[in-house]
Amino acid sequence: MASIEAPALHAAGEGLVTYLQIWRAAHPGGESLSGVLTAMAEAGAAMAHIVLRGPLMGAMGVEIGQANAFGDRQRRLDLLADGAVASALRRSSTAYYASEEEDAILTLRPGGDLAVAVDPLDGSSNIDANISVGTIFSVFPASPAGATASFLRPGSEQLAAGYIIYGPHTALLFTLGEGVAHFVLDPETGEFRLIADGLRIDSSTRDYAINASNYRHWTPPVRTFVDDCIAGIEGPRGKDFNMRWMASLVAETHRIFMRGGVFLYPGDQRPAYEHGRLRLLYEANPIALLVEQAGGAASDGYARVLEHTASTLHQRTPLIFGSVEKVARISSYFTNCAFQSSSSPLFGERGLFHT
């Protein structure tokens, strides 16, 4: 899906309700989709209040003794977020709800025309450290073939996607297929207000984000790319770079939207990490749609993320996203390394000589 510049129909400070009213006027039949956006904003505002109070709400980061459907340990705030989102979506035209915290797809409104996939609380391991966490969501048309078919389809068929980040302020970024809108929650009124419409990813930054502790497990393309960046101005890239890592996909994504850069969570050589760890349905698909709508790119190293069709609800994928130029450059490392031995001098001190 190509990125589309949003028309200049909206003014800074405009409320989400007004924004969606204007959008519906230009998109007859869009009531259901705007209703899902309204529900997600309501859930986000409720979660923002809980996150803001932090430890005053109790031990939000404590593990509750069971794993979710994908083997990750659940925390108290994970379940609160899941409940808040499901409750809000029940008031919309959401037929099917797929959540990272649920074992199966839930039917919220029989006869509804949308299917919503949600990571209710991304980055929950950071809760007690007071690092930004968030909610990621993806919207598909409900399939006549039923609940499973509504989600196991190409990511390019998403109607909308977005995330809510709970940090020093709470922000909502979403796309309805015509660019990316950036809203911030006004704590005085409880309303999300427009900051920017038609948001674009800056391609000039030298930031890249990756978990360097996994260096020894990386495949040659990833290791070579990072080696070339670390070599800095003396290396084949001829300039210095900054490495970032916050262990929160929402926080990493928001930084790229605000400052540019590129994010990598590749597959590696550890058991169960060969195909990455991020979920295609709940994380990679919505982030990829947002990034493309902001003029960026999202890849697994070899192909566009939105071209993939999930075969299971919990399918994982490598994910590389950011500016088009940077993602293309990293993909070229995968292409070049595919034809070279990892023991070749090409993968020694001299890197791939990309400029």
Side-chain angles (χ1 to χ4, degrees):
M1 182 180 295
S3 176
I4 304 171
E5 286 280 5
L9 299 177
H10 307 281
E14 181 176 275
L16 180 62
V17 172
T18 301
Y19 181 98
L20 292 175
Q21 287 174 341
I22 295 172
W23 181 83
R24 286 197 303 272
H27 298 82
E31 291 81 5
S32 295
L33 195 54
S34 67
V36 166
L37 263 295
T38 299
M40 292 306 305
E42 291 172 355
M47 285 304 302
H49 177 71
I50 294 173
V51 173
L52 179 65
R53 297 194 68 201
L56 298 176
M57 292 289 294
M60 292 290 104
V62 65
E63 294 183 356
I64 61 173
Q66 59 182 313
N68 63 17
F70 311 112
D72 293 334
R73 308 301 297 184
Q74 290 180 309
R75 301 169 192 272
R76 185 180 170 208
L77 195 56
D78 286 317
L79 298 187
L80 287 174
D82 185 46
V85 172
S87 177
L89 287 175
R90 288 183 190 278
R91 299 189 292 274
S92 72
S93 189
T94 300
Y96 306 119
Y97 174 60
S99 167
E100 182 183 327
E101 304 304 330
E102 301 287 349
D103 293 330
I105 298 171
L106 303 182
T107 299
L108 300 186
R109 182 183 289 269
D113 54 5
L114 297 175
V116 183
V118 180
D119 180 353
L121 196 77
D122 173 75
S124 59
S125 63
N126 288 323
I127 295 169
D128 292 336
N130 201 22
I131 294 173
S132 296
V133 294
T135 301
I136 307 172
F137 60 93
S138 168
V139 186
F140 287 96
S143 171
T148 302
S150 295
F151 295 105
L152 303 188
R153 61 205 305 174
S156 58
E157 295 183 9
Q158 292 174 99
L159 300 175
Y163 67 82
I164 306 164
I165 181 170
Y166 315 110
H169 62 263
T170 297
L172 164 64
L173 275 73
F174 65 84
T175 180
L176 293 166
E178 298 176 341
V180 176
H182 176 197
F183 285 77
V184 167
L185 181 64
D186 183 343
E188 295 185 359
T189 65
E191 184 177 20
F192 280 95
R193 308 197 70 83
L194 183 66
I195 299 300
D197 204 15
L199 199 63
R200 309 294 288 179
I201 293 176
D202 187 354
S203 61
S204 62
T205 182
R206 298 182 180 185
D207 290 355
Y208 67 98
I210 192 168
N211 185 353
S213 68
N214 295 323
Y215 181 90
R216 66 192 184 281
H217 303 296
W218 291 338
T219 57
V222 178
R223 187 177 296 186
T224 306
F225 166 74
V226 173
D227 284 347
D228 286 355
C229 291
I230 290 173
I233 196 168
E234 293 85 8
R237 300 289 301 279
K239 53 187 174 183
D240 293 325
F241 295 87
N242 300 313
M243 184 168 64
R244 311 294 186 196
W245 186 252
M246 289 188 283
S248 169
L249 178 61
V250 163
E252 303 283 3
T253 303
H254 198 66
R255 187 190 62 250
I256 287 175
F257 269 102
M258 297 300 104
R259 295 177 47 182
V262 67
F263 168 93
L264 302 90
Y265 201 135
D268 61 42
Q269 298 172 348
R270 291 172 292 172
Y273 280 76
E274 297 92 340
H275 302 293
R277 292 294 290 176
L278 297 177
R279 288 81 173 175
L280 178 59
L281 182 62
Y282 304 101
E283 297 164 315
N285 270 345
I287 297 302
L289 182 60
L290 281 166
V291 167
E292 288 196 7
Q293 284 291 316
S299 170
D300 64 359
Y302 296 100
R304 179 176 173 240
V305 166
L306 294 181
E307 293 176 356
H308 296 310
T309 298
S311 57
T312 65
L313 291 175
H314 56 275
Q315 180 174 330
R316 298 181 187 270
T317 182
L319 180 60
I320 301 165
F321 70 85
S323 72
V324 169
E325 182 273 333
K326 290 178 173 59
V327 173
R329 183 183 297 278
I330 294 169
S331 295
S332 73
Y333 279 76
F334 282 80
T335 301
N336 288 329
C337 288
F339 298 100
Q340 301 292 338
S341 165
S342 61
S343 61
S344 166
L346 186 63
F347 299 98
E349 297 179 359
R350 300 175 69 185
L352 284 174
F353 289 94
H354 285 242
T355 59

